[in-house]
Amino acid sequence: MVRSAIFSFLALFLIFTVLPAWAQQANQSPPVELTTEEDHQRTMEMLGIDSLRPGVNGSDPNAPNYVNYEEKNANPYPHYPDPLLTNDRQKVTSPEMWWNERRPEIVEFFEREIFGRVPEQTPVVSWEITEATDTTIGNIQAKKKRLVGHVDNTTYPHITVNIQANLVIPAQADEPVPVITQFGFIQLPPFLKQLRQNNDDNSPTWHQLVMEKGWGYSIIVPNSIQADNGAGLTKGIIGLVNKGQPRDADDWGALRAWAWGASRLLDYFETIDEVDAERVGIQGHSRYGKAAVVAQAFDQRFAIGYISSSGAGGVKPHRRNFGEIVENVAAPSEYHWMVGNYLKYAGPLTWRDIPVDSHELVALCAPRPMFIGSGQEGDLWVDPKGMFMAGVKAGPVYELLEKEGLGTDQFPPVGTALLGGDIAFRQHPEGHTAGPNWPAFLEFAERHFKK
């Protein structure tokens, strides 16, 4: 009798759980396989675009399309959208009007034309601690966790996404601590290991500087969320939600996908005692600086951002002809970061036709503090002055929300840190690296975390 009941239970289990899943997978096609060039061309055809204007050449001074680094040629479109003027030309005069009317309009433009829309329903992420060890960061005893975020793929088992991250907390912490989350690498790739070995500078790493504050840090690996190429758009989290099919014109790109992953890590931080989830910062450099500002702009839980050398597609204005330009971002090597619709502005439309610009991306982070950083020689590609200008032009929104902007519209000398307001800026004297600005950022962050 008991055996019969067990068999009946197993039969029902198979009928109502396992078999439907098998049937669903059997009826689904595997992901569409496209090269980056094929998907880029498919996107152009979807938008009715025959050709795109070429980007600038940053390596050959003799090239006819060599990049512009002359300020006198940098501003072909001097007029920028007003972040405090609604679509029907009404002046925003109160915080309530910003939150209820103007900010949603700006978000809509960025989702439709720049970064893409996150689907209304995205899979649940279940976090697992795969390793917990005691370690030393500099001279500080710490506890380190290796984390994996398993993304539920029951709706499309052909694609598996496991988000790689870690969390390092001072061992002596007896209360929840602030955490700075970085888009980066848990295990350094060979070229970065070699750079570190070749560097004779014995100054402390950013990890040590954070730990010396009594804070923790975490690293999340973007490529474990979404591949950094156009061929991967039918895989990763974008492909999983699309069931292996190519993107529509307003589907999210890699920057928005990476930011989504960081938000899921923040979800996890909200469930554990070690982290003060109301004081979690987001940091990234170069393409990951773009992802960091997107994360801060679209998830208001990130308390502060360190946006390093983000350049075009990040804090650099689209309307600036200095360093990398829209046409470079729309090319096959980078278009996957953005929404498909973005390609229009490198083809039939111009930069001036983009309904928003990067100062409004900074404004979406208000009233939370943001540190904008860059280098000098070797980092002009990201347009340091243009990124400063974006901070200046976002100032009125911060002021409307009773915060402070940069405090000046005069581009500061290299090495000068503007830290007095809720938008900060510093251009260090070195190249394309975030390292020299970490001390200034942490000084800025400590003041705001104490508030």
Side-chain angles (χ1 to χ4, degrees):
M1 189 74 173
V2 172
R3 182 177 296 176
S4 176
I6 292 173
F7 282 134
S8 297
F9 172 79
L10 289 174
L12 290 171
F13 178 79
L14 288 170
I15 291 170
F16 289 106
T17 59
V18 178
L19 289 178
W22 285 346
Q24 181 184 44
Q25 184 169 3
N27 291 329
Q28 290 174 337
S29 300
V32 173
E33 295 287 346
L34 295 170
T35 67
T36 291
E37 291 71 20
E38 288 170 342
D39 186 72
H40 187 262
Q41 181 63 35
R42 181 199 64 84
T43 304
M44 290 174 57
E45 292 172 357
M46 178 173 57
L47 297 171
I49 299 173
D50 294 327
S51 63
L52 300 179
R53 298 182 297 273
V56 293
N57 186 316
S59 59
D60 182 4
N62 297 316
N65 62 332
Y66 183 61
V67 61
N68 175 58
Y69 289 137
E70 298 292 335
E71 188 61 30
K72 64 182 180 180
N73 300 321
N75 296 297
Y77 305 120
H79 300 292
Y80 284 63
D82 187 341
L84 293 179
L85 197 64
T86 67
N87 291 350
D88 60 359
R89 314 301 295 173
Q90 299 297 309
K91 188 67 177 175
V92 178
T93 56
S94 69
E96 292 76 18
M97 196 172 176
W98 165 256
W99 291 112
N100 297 329
E101 297 182 45
R102 183 55 178 157
R103 192 179 190 278
E105 291 177 344
I106 295 173
V107 167
E108 167 63 18
F109 283 136
F110 274 110
E111 290 191 324
R112 191 182 71 214
E113 305 295 327
I114 311 294
F115 300 117
R117 304 183 192 279
V118 174
E120 291 185 7
Q121 298 294 327
T122 56
V124 173
V125 179
S126 302
W127 289 93
E128 176 190 7
I129 301 171
T130 59
E131 183 182 20
T133 58
D134 294 328
T135 188
T136 301
I137 308 298
N139 296 318
I140 300 172
Q141 298 298 310
K143 295 185 179 296
K144 181 178 181 179
K145 295 179 182 179
R146 289 289 296 269
L147 305 168
V148 176
H150 302 287
V151 182
D152 181 10
N153 69 340
T154 54
T155 62
Y156 190 69
H158 288 290
I159 293 176
T160 299
V161 179
N162 290 311
I163 304 173
Q164 306 295 314
N166 71 5
L167 174 64
V168 183
I169 297 291
Q172 301 304 316
D174 55 5
E175 60 182 7
V177 299
V179 167
I180 305 300
T181 297
Q182 181 190 70
F183 286 110
F185 305 94
I186 294 174
Q187 293 182 327
L188 290 178
F191 78 93
L192 285 180
K193 286 184 179 179
Q194 189 63 46
L195 283 175
R196 180 167 292 182
Q197 291 169 1
N198 293 339
N199 187 358
D200 295 328
D201 184 3
N202 293 318
S203 59
T205 66
W206 73 268
H207 315 82
Q208 293 171 251
L209 294 173
V210 169
M211 298 292 285
E212 288 170 1
K213 297 286 186 187
W215 305 347
Y217 70 85
S218 68
I219 298 173
I220 186 167
V221 181
N223 284 17
S224 68
I225 306 164
Q226 184 64 43
D228 191 9
N229 56 65
L233 289 171
T234 55
K235 304 179 183 68
I237 184 59
I238 295 174
L240 175 57
V241 175
N242 282 348
K243 294 182 169 55
Q245 296 301 304
R247 294 189 300 171
D248 286 334
D250 63 349
D251 281 351
W252 48 340
L255 296 180
R256 197 82 196 274
W258 295 340
W260 174 88
S263 291
R264 303 292 72 76
L265 182 60
L266 183 50
D267 292 343
Y268 169 71
F269 290 161
E270 291 181 330
T271 69
I272 62 177
D273 294 333
E274 300 101 306
V275 175
D276 180 351
E278 293 186 354
R279 291 189 293 172
V280 172
I282 188 73
Q283 191 273 338
H285 174 70
S286 196
R287 67 193 61 195
Y288 302 145
K290 306 178 203 297
V293 68
V294 171
Q296 188 182 5
F298 285 95
D299 190 337
Q300 296 177 52
R301 296 175 300 166
F302 285 110
I304 195 168
Y306 171 13
I307 315 304
S308 176
S309 298
S310 61
V315 178
K316 167 186 160 41
H318 300 291
R319 285 161 171 77
R320 283 267 295 180
N321 178 28
F322 193 104
E324 187 177 25
I325 59 175
V326 170
E327 285 79 354
N328 292 91
V329 180
S333 58
E334 299 181 8
Y335 81 104
H336 60 278
W337 296 339
M338 319 300 280
V339 72
N341 280 328
Y342 188 81
L343 271 63
K344 297 181 300 186
Y345 302 104
L349 301 177
T350 69
W351 313 344
R352 181 172 51 187
D353 297 311
I354 302 176
V356 284
D357 217 319
S358 61
H359 62 299
E360 291 168 296
L361 185 62
V362 177
L364 292 183
C365 299
R368 293 158 295 143
M370 174 189 287
F371 181 100
I372 302 169
S374 76
Q376 187 188 27
E377 293 300 326
D379 210 25
L380 295 181
W381 182 254
V382 303
D383 188 9
K385 185 172 183 179
M387 294 190 296
F388 169 79
M389 289 170 55
V392 171
K393 292 178 183 297
V397 176
Y398 276 78
E399 292 163 7
L400 178 76
L401 301 179
E402 299 182 347
K403 297 293 182 178
E404 297 179 41
L406 275 164
T408 180
D409 61 1
Q410 299 300 305
F411 190 51
V414 173
T416 301
L418 303 177
L419 305 178
D422 294 276
I423 305 173
F425 179 86
R426 183 175 186 265
Q427 182 185 17
H428 65 71
E430 299 181 33
H432 190 59
T433 174
N437 275 337
W438 270 101
F441 164 68
L442 291 175
E443 178 185 343
F444 177 69
E446 184 173 42
R447 176 166 62 84
H448 286 279
F449 281 169
K450 284 182 177 179
K451 287 183 181 180

